[in-house]
Every structure is written in C-alpha cells, then in structure tokens.
Amino acid sequence: MVTARGAAAPARTQVLINGRLVPGKGDAYEHHNPYNDETLAVVTQASKEQMDEAVEAAAKAFMSYRRVPAHQRAEMLLRVSKGIEARGEELARSIAREVAKPLKQARAEVARAVITFRQASEEAGHLWGQTLTMDAVPNGVGKHGFYIRQPIGVVAAITPFNFPLNLPAHKIAPALAVGNTVVWKPAPQAPLIALIVGDILKEAGIPDGVVNIMPAPPAVAEVLTTHPKVAMVSFTGSVAGGMAIRDNVGMKKLILELGSNSANIVSASADLERAAQACAVGGFTYAGQVCISVQRMYVRRPVWDQFMSIFLDKVKALQMGDPLDPATDVGPMIDEKNARRSEEWIQEAVKDGAKMLMGGKRRGKFVEPTVLTNVRPEAKVVCEEVFAPLVVVEPFDDWEQAIALANQSKYGLNAGVFTNDMREAFRAIEYLEVGSVIVNDSSTYRADHMPYGGIKLSGQGREGVRFAMEAMTEIKFAAIGL
C-alpha cells in the first residue's frame, strides 16, 4: 500500500483467532516508537464479538489439546523455545522499537523467554500427583487413595508493556505444558511482538485455537474476566487493573502480579561495591519501568558516605540514549504522560524538603536517573510505585529499624538485602513482608523458575513455570475400595 506522496503506508495488524489472522473489527490506533515517534503500524483491535469468538475457539481446542500426550506437548514447547532463539535478534529489535527497552536489556529478555519455554517443556512430563494412606482414619480401611492434576481449560493472559515477551511466556508456556488453551491480550504498546510470537507458535506445531492473540481496549478485554468458558485470568499490571479484574471474575481462578516500590537494605557488613553496582543497575534498568525495580534504599549509617560515593559514581556511568544503540543503559519512558508524572512527583518531594543528589530533569520522554534523600515517608516517590528512573536513599541505625522501614509499604513483591552477617540475612528473610527476599543482589533479581509473586497490594498467586502449572490445574482425588 502506497500513499499519495509515494511513501509506504504503515502496515495494519490483525488478530489471531483459531489459527487465522483476520482484521480486528474494533477501534484502530496508530502504534508509535516511543523514542522517535516513528509510526510502526496501524493496530486493528478486536471487537467484543471477536473476543467472544476467540474464547469459544480456545474452549473447543481445549477438548482435543488436553488429550495431547505430555511428551508431544513437551516437544512443541521445545520447538517454541528454539524458534524464539532463532528469531532472537528480530524479537530484541522489535522490543527496542516498540517499547523503547535498550537493546542489551531486550536481548536479555529474549534469552529469558527461551529459557521459560524450555523449562515448560521440561516440566510438561512432571505433572505429579500423590497417594494417600487411607487407613489413617477408621473409615478409610480397605481403600486406596490418590490424586491427579488435570488442566482447567481456557486461560486468559493479560500482559503489560514492560516485558512484552517474557511475561507472556510465563503465562502461555505453563498453560500449554499442562494442556490448557489461551486467549492472550497483549499490551497496546507491543502488538507486533505478539504477532511474531504467534508465528513462532504456529511454526512449532501448536494447534489452531490453542493460543489466540487479541489486541483489545479495556472494555473489550473485560469479556475475558466475565466469559463463562474462561477458567482462569492471569494478569500482570497495575493495582487498579488487578482489583477491577478481581471484582469481575467471580469463581474463576486468578493470578495477579501487581505493583511494588521495592526496598533494598545495605548492611555495614555488605560488599559495598557489589551492592552499589547491583542497585545502580536494578534501579535504572529500562528507566525504572520494572515492577521489582530498586525504588527505596536503606543504608547503615556507618557506611553511608562510602556507599553513596560508590553508588552515585555507578549511576553517573549509565548511558542515556537511543534504545537501539547497544551502549544505551537508560532509554526514554514509555510515553510523555508518565515522564511528566514522575517529574511532578520528584518536584513535589523536593518542595517538601527532599535533597536531590543527582538527576531530576526531564527532556520529553527522557527522565534523568534521579537519586533523592531526606524524603518524607508519605511522599509519592516513597509510598507509591514510581515506575521511573528514580531511587530514594535513606540512612538507618539498626537492623530492626531497616526492616520496619521496608515493611511500611502497602506493597510486598521483592526486597533486596546486602549483608555478610547470616543473622541479619535470616532476620530479613523471616520478617520482611514480601514474596521474595533476595540476599546479596537487588530486588530486581528474578530467575524464571523461582516462585514469583507478592503479598499486600502486590497481588496474589505465584508465577515461575512449575508454580504456574500447579495454579493452572485442578486436583482430582480418587478413592478405590478393593
């Protein structure tokens, strides 16, 4: 298609229903590169009728896919893993263009998605059950008992922009490993990556209807939370979005991965160089648009000056620029609205007495890596999820105080603890109110097979391939009298 001026018109995307790419019948929008505003595509979104059609297709496909032997599901998932690896550079560049993630971080995300699907392949044959000793109670004498795990049906996967490949992998791969089918609503900022994944799934032999890819606005995506043939909703995104879904789903199973403002504690016994490097990277990777980004840091007062000198030097060394430049560490934020919001929060904190140690300026969608101290506990940059390249650092005097400061948050996803004192480490593990305590690395650390999820407003349920597989199955018990 060519415009009157002779320039190629942007491609129009499609939705994937039951193995067929068809134009979306809902509202369309222009999809832009956040870095340079280049138009990447015109995205045609699904209508409510098409979303309903996708759920029906997934429900029908489930009746046959659930009977596919585990070894065949494993083989397909391994082919998906290899397909992602083969198209890794294409995917990484698409991530950099679509959501402005720096290329080296996008490449790391692709590598993780390769692992996520490979782990699902390995786990597909290990859907375990257990026997029970029935004669442990009088009315169990003469009976044998055991339970098995069975797939639940259609899983609705709703994913955000910040990890547009690996977060969907954490929903799709375990669902397929256990024999479920999927309707996936990708983030509006990353529809092209989703369609590349659709190609890879098809090439790997995933049957038609098993994964349906449906870009859609919130009003249409709501179908996924209310449709009677959806068995589970797995959502990663905002607290407001998660609570709205929770209020809609009724008796559906639910995994929610929501917000955070992760705390990181640096002990006087810590390796300060290691802690500073980990927190500098963990606080400003992808412009802080990571739910487990380092946002709050508490540093033991005797090592404050030494640590802060090292830490600020590490932050100053980070390179801002074009996401497609391999040297870039910090790119633009996803849009100017969020860049302006983070700038306003920074200015509000400074007006209320915070000291700016570096950064604080905004240029369009770029926000400089910013470090604040002497910040009031009720400031938004402390108690809300800033989701921007900003870290608040405060001193503390004793370990119990640091744990209490970390626990003041309404969130509870990951926390980082840097210490070489095992008593401090285990005190933190026991008393920090979070889903994961990461010792001697930052809160931003995640391995793709660990049980990942939070408490408080950070959500409910756990991801990580094996743990998501458990959540995506039902236990069926059998008692046999002989």
Side-chain angles (χ1 to χ4, degrees), residues 186-364:
Q189 301 91 340
L192 304 183
I193 296 159
L195 292 174
I196 296 171
V197 172
D199 285 344
I200 292 169
L201 293 168
K202 187 174 184 66
E203 291 167 2
I206 302 297
D208 292 348
V210 170
V211 179
N212 304 270
I213 301 175
M214 307 296 290
V220 173
E222 191 173 310
V223 171
L224 297 175
T225 68
T226 58
H227 198 292
K229 292 186 180 178
V230 172
M232 166 182 272
V233 178
S234 180
F235 171 82
T236 301
S238 70
V239 172
M243 293 179 76
I245 289 171
R246 182 200 61 188
D247 293 342
N248 268 357
V249 295
M251 294 297 289
K252 292 175 174 55
K253 299 189 81 174
L254 190 60
I255 295 177
L256 298 176
E257 304 292 346
L258 307 178
S260 182
N261 56 5
S262 296
N264 289 257
I265 304 172
V266 181
S267 165
S269 70
D271 180 331
L272 300 186
E273 178 77 20
R274 176 178 180 174
Q277 177 65 26
C279 289
V281 172
F284 302 102
T285 289
Y286 191 31
Q289 297 171 123
V290 180
C291 53
I292 47 178
S293 179
V294 175
Q295 183 172 326
R296 298 179 294 143
M297 294 173 58
Y298 302 105
V299 180
R300 194 79 180 245
R301 200 177 297 275
V303 295
W304 170 267
D305 290 339
Q306 183 183 359
F307 175 81
M308 291 305 296
S309 175
I310 300 170
F311 175 68
L312 292 175
D313 283 346
K314 299 288 186 185
V315 178
K316 288 173 186 174
L318 298 173
Q319 299 295 310
M320 295 182 70
D322 183 348
L324 283 169
D325 183 344
T328 295
D329 298 299
V330 182
M333 293 185 64
I334 192 65
D335 56 40
E336 192 160 339
K337 176 184 175 182
N338 278 289
R340 287 183 181 277
R341 172 191 55 78
S342 60
E343 179 187 37
E344 289 169 4
W345 288 13
I346 292 166
Q347 291 173 347
E348 181 182 284
V350 172
K351 183 180 178 181
D352 285 344
K355 181 179 180 182
M356 191 178 301
L357 300 179
M358 66 177 297
K361 295 184 176 65
R362 180 185 66 84
R363 299 189 313 277

Side-chain angles (χ1 to χ4, degrees), residues 52-76:
D52 186 82
E53 184 184 350
V55 174
E56 294 290 343
K60 183 177 179 181
F62 172 67
M63 301 311 294
S64 55
Y65 184 69
R66 68 178 300 175
R67 293 193 292 271
V68 173
H71 74 91
Q72 290 182 16
R73 298 197 301 270
E75 289 163 4
M76 285 188 282

Side-chain angles (χ1 to χ4, degrees), residues 43-54:
V43 179
T44 67
Q45 301 183 98
S47 66
K48 286 188 176 182
E49 293 75 17
Q50 287 178 310
M51 190 65 82
D52 186 82
E53 184 184 350

Side-chain angles (χ1 to χ4, degrees), residues 25 33 78 96 148 241 246 283 294 340 371 381 385 428:
K25 296 179 181 179
N33 180 327
L78 184 58
I148 59 174
R246 182 200 61 188
V294 175
R340 287 183 181 277
V371 181
V381 294
E385 180 178 35

Side-chain angles (χ1 to χ4, degrees), residues 374-392:
N374 195 39
V375 184
R376 294 164 62 91
E378 62 270 22
K380 291 187 180 74
V381 294
V382 174
C383 62
E384 301 295 340
E385 180 178 35
V386 70
F387 220 61
L390 177 142
V391 170
V392 173

